[in-house]
């Protein structure tokens, strides 16, 4: 009984901490959310995304009035190539169109740790 409790506790902790979420399978035309160090294999394509790094986050902080909404610029490693994208426009490269749909968390006046970013991405042919 005690062994079952320990296994259940470890499994629950793993679930909460996104254990095993270092790789994700996604499909063209369906958006997906990824974390900075997450690897993504695109089904029925040769595309492999090996994570991203946010290189700029100039979004207007929450509860602030800004003239411009700002943008996020992220650098992705796709098939061993570095590809920069931003939230303002789609990027056509490698025979596909990449579009950042959203970035979380919401920008505040506090710094966001790089590991907290999650990007929702849409890839089409």
């Amino acid at each position: 009984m005690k062994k079952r409790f320990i296994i259940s506790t470890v499994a629950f902790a793993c679930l909460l901490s996104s254990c095993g979420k270092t790789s994700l399978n996604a499909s063209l035309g369906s958006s997906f959310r990824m974390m900075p160090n997450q690897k993504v294999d695109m089904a029925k394509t040769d595309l492999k995304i090996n994570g991203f790094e946010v290189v700029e986050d100039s979004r207007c902080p929450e509860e602030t009035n800004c003239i411009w909404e700002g943008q996020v610029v992220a650098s992705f490693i796709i098939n061993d190539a570095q590809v920069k994208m931003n939230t303002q426009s789609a990027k056509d490269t490698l025979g596909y169109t990449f579009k950042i749909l959203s970035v979380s968390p919401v920008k505040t006046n506090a710094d966001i740790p790089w590991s907290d970013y999650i990007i929702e991405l849409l890839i089409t042919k």
Side-chain angles (χ1 to χ4, degrees), residues 21-26 31-42 48-54 74-78 85 98 100 102-105 114-123:
K21 292 265 189 175
T22 58
S23 186
L24 173 71
N25 293 316
S31 67
F32 59 91
R33 295 167 50 91
M34 68 180 292
M35 298 176 287
N37 286 332
Q38 197 164 32
K39 296 180 187 317
V40 179
D41 290 322
M42 298 302 297
K48 294 191 185 313
I49 303 172
N50 290 308
F52 70 86
E53 176 184 8
V54 172
S75 178
F76 292 81
I77 302 298
I78 304 172
M85 296 177 227
F98 297 81
I100 296 175
S102 66
V103 178
S104 56
W114 71 270
S115 59
D116 287 358
Y117 280 99
I118 297 174
I119 290 182
E120 183 180 8
L121 194 61
L122 175 67
I123 304 172

Side-chain angles (χ1 to χ4, degrees), residues 2 4 11 15 17-18 24 34 37 39-40 42 47 51 55 57 79 81 89 101 105 118 120-121:
K2 186 175 182 181
R4 182 179 291 173
L15 178 69
S17 67
S18 299
L24 173 71
M34 68 180 292
N37 286 332
K39 296 180 187 317
V40 179
M42 298 302 297
L47 288 178
V55 293
D57 187 352
N79 293 356
S89 59
L101 299 178
I118 297 174
E120 183 180 8
L121 194 61

Side-chain angles (χ1 to χ4, degrees), residues 28-29 94-97 123-125:
L28 288 178
L94 304 172
Y96 298 90
T97 300
I123 304 172
T124 55
K125 186 77 171 154

